[in-house]
Amino acid sequence: MKVFRFLKDKWFYISLIIMVLMVVGAFEYTFGFLDKFTRHGDEFLVPDMIGMNYDEMVEQYQDDFTFILLDSVYIKNFPEGAVYQQNPGKGAKVKKGRNLYITRTSIAPEVVEMPNLRNLSLRQAIVRLNLIGLRVDKLEFVDYFARNAVVDQKIKNDVIEPKEEVIKGTPITLVVGLGNGNKTTNIPDLIGVRQTEVKNLINNASLNIGTEIFVDNDDADNLYVSRMEPDYSPETKVYLGSTINVWYKSIKNFDFVWYNYEKFRRDSMTEAWRRRKLDPDTIQYLIDSFNYILKNRKFSYDSVQRVNDMEMMFLDWTTKNEINDSVMFDDFDFLDYDYEIDTSFFYDE
């Protein structure tokens, strides 16, 4: 057919080959240009710049990254003019010329104006201090008609007046009123509280932090209170301004979930005993037994230590016999176990 005669013409095939080569060439050029424009495959691992002098860092890496300084902050015990934060962080894969956002430490300490805390409540004063970057050093209680009202504000032993410039992070002593009535307060339950939150909780309870003992060496975010002195009890009251000593353990070594589970069992069983009107001395024996376990168990993740903890005995035979002789436990239906005052009764999983 004449319609398909061109298929026998060699110039048709030459033209077709030229067209294909042009299309392929166009694609190659386009994608090659895009790779070059977007630096595809040209990636860098972001180094750790924390602690480096800012000017030296820029000089060393200016060909690889574009640095954008977001802020300068004063950090005590950190080198002046050093990189304090970076984004993206160490190990991130980025292309050449990528923006790196930097926060560095300032050469001079940042200052703030001291607020007027007088006549505020203790809680209000603590919030005000925290908002502007100051912190409570300690509480001093004095005779004053309004309980927990701030009477004065000091740095160490010197009164600090409102609007005076203070270096950010400075610890402030608050002089607080005792009030005319009861001068005692309950202590907070600090077990399982992160180290960074402990002091604030203690101060909000009108108390001071005492000795801090670090059983484990770890970052503050991983340290939690494993023990406190005085021991927590809803009935325990101490004088305003008293100190609380705390022990910290790493969450990597101390099973706080297990610890809190045992506390819950103690509290729920105690409530059940009280509802059934058991003899108060008997209830106290059992509470003391739980408390002994909570204080002396290791609460370790180690399987051998966990077995040893579970086998820990806490009541001697004299005490057990006294309890069994004084109470007829068969008269009560609140227990799902054969009642024996030993570890297996309280701590079977």
Side-chain angles (χ1 to χ4, degrees):
M1 296 177 63
K2 293 183 179 181
V3 176
F4 298 102
R5 186 179 300 171
F6 69 90
L7 293 175
K8 296 180 181 180
D9 189 343
K10 67 177 182 179
W11 290 108
F12 167 74
Y13 292 101
I14 293 173
S15 300
L16 182 62
I17 292 171
I18 292 172
M19 290 176 62
V20 170
L21 290 175
M22 289 178 63
V23 170
V24 172
F27 272 103
E28 287 291 331
Y29 175 80
T30 301
F31 285 107
F33 176 78
L34 286 175
D35 282 348
K36 185 176 180 180
F37 181 76
T38 61
R39 299 189 181 100
H40 180 69
D42 187 15
E43 292 184 331
F44 289 80
L45 285 178
V46 178
D48 184 7
M49 301 174 181
I50 304 300
M52 291 184 63
N53 179 274
Y54 177 77
D55 294 331
E56 293 176 359
M57 177 202 66
V58 171
E59 183 177 352
Q60 181 175 345
Y61 294 107
Q62 61 184 346
D63 294 335
D64 300 327
F65 308 106
T66 300
F67 294 101
I68 298 178
L69 183 62
L70 292 179
D71 196 9
S72 293
V73 295
Y74 177 74
I75 305 294
K76 188 178 180 181
N77 299 326
F78 203 85
E80 294 181 351
V83 176
Y84 182 64
Q85 292 178 335
Q86 65 179 77
N87 183 28
K90 172 187 175 182
K93 290 184 177 180
V94 300
K95 295 175 183 177
K96 188 172 183 178
R98 169 73 152 80
N99 290 345
L100 257 64
Y101 299 91
I102 302 296
T103 300
R104 71 174 180 182
T105 54
S106 57
I107 304 301
E110 186 177 352
V111 296
V112 295
E113 279 192 359
M114 182 66 196
N116 185 8
L117 305 176
R118 296 178 180 119
N119 296 318
L120 293 181
S121 71
L122 176 59
R123 289 179 182 273
Q124 290 174 321
I126 292 174
V127 170
R128 287 282 299 276
L129 289 176
N130 290 338
L131 283 175
I132 63 171
L134 299 176
R135 58 189 178 88
V136 176
D137 181 17
K138 62 180 179 179
L139 306 179
E140 291 181 1
F141 282 84
V142 296
D143 287 329
Y144 188 70
F145 72 93
R147 175 175 166 134
N148 280 337
V150 176
V151 179
D152 217 337
Q153 51 200 35
K154 300 193 295 185
I155 296 178
K156 295 184 178 179
N157 295 320
D158 299 324
V159 173
I160 178 76
E161 295 296 336
K163 296 188 176 181
E164 286 191 38
E165 289 190 341
V166 182
I167 295 176
K168 204 169 185 177
T170 298
I172 305 297
T173 297
L174 296 179
V175 183
V176 188
L178 281 168
N180 294 325
N182 181 20
K183 294 178 175 57
T184 63
T185 185
N186 294 95
I187 62 175
D189 185 2
L190 301 173
I191 304 299
V193 174
R194 195 193 302 263
Q195 181 206 343
T196 53
E197 302 169 2
V198 169
K199 193 171 188 301
N200 213 42
L201 284 175
I202 291 176
N203 291 149
N204 273 296
S206 304
L207 301 168
N208 285 303
I209 194 165
T211 303
E212 295 181 277
I213 297 125
F214 295 87
V215 180
D216 296 324
N217 183 21
D218 206 339
D219 295 335
D221 286 341
N222 293 327
L223 293 174
Y224 291 74
V225 178
S226 63
R227 180 184 165 195
M228 57 185 289
E229 188 181 73
D231 293 328
Y232 171 77
S233 169
E235 291 78 25
T236 300
K237 289 187 176 292
V238 296
Y239 284 103
L240 298 172
S242 298
T243 58
I244 298 182
N245 302 322
V246 290
W247 284 253
Y248 299 109
K249 285 188 177 181
S250 171
I251 197 171
K252 301 173 185 175
N253 301 326
F254 190 90
D255 192 342
F256 287 96
V257 173
W258 182 18
Y259 181 94
N260 287 323
Y261 173 65
E262 298 294 12
K263 278 207 309 181
F264 171 77
R265 287 171 31 125
R266 176 198 63 190
D267 297 341
S268 59
M269 293 180 74
T270 300
E271 181 61 26
W273 292 327
R274 285 174 174 159
R275 286 202 309 268
R276 299 324 192 268
K277 298 182 179 179
L278 263 70
D279 179 70
D281 290 337
T282 300
I283 294 176
Q284 191 57 52
Y285 274 131
L286 302 176
I287 293 174
D288 290 344
S289 301
F290 267 110
N291 290 341
Y292 177 83
I293 288 294
L294 291 170
K295 188 171 183 178
N296 291 282
R297 275 192 174 181
K298 301 295 184 184
F299 290 96
S300 169
Y301 295 102
D302 179 75
S303 58
V304 175
Q305 182 60 57
R306 289 170 84 93
V307 170
N308 292 335
D309 279 354
M310 299 292 284
E311 293 176 349
M312 184 183 293
M313 300 298 293
F314 48 84
L315 283 179
D316 59 37
W317 282 97
T318 303
T319 303
K320 179 191 289 190
N321 291 334
E322 286 176 355
I323 294 177
N324 286 335
D325 291 342
S326 63
V327 178
M328 295 298 292
F329 290 102
D330 292 338
D331 294 339
F332 300 92
D333 59 359
F334 62 94
L335 297 174
D336 296 325
Y337 309 86
D338 293 327
Y339 197 92
E340 289 288 341
I341 310 299
D342 61 22
T343 320
S344 62
F345 164 70
F346 287 105
Y347 299 104
D348 280 347
E349 293 294 338

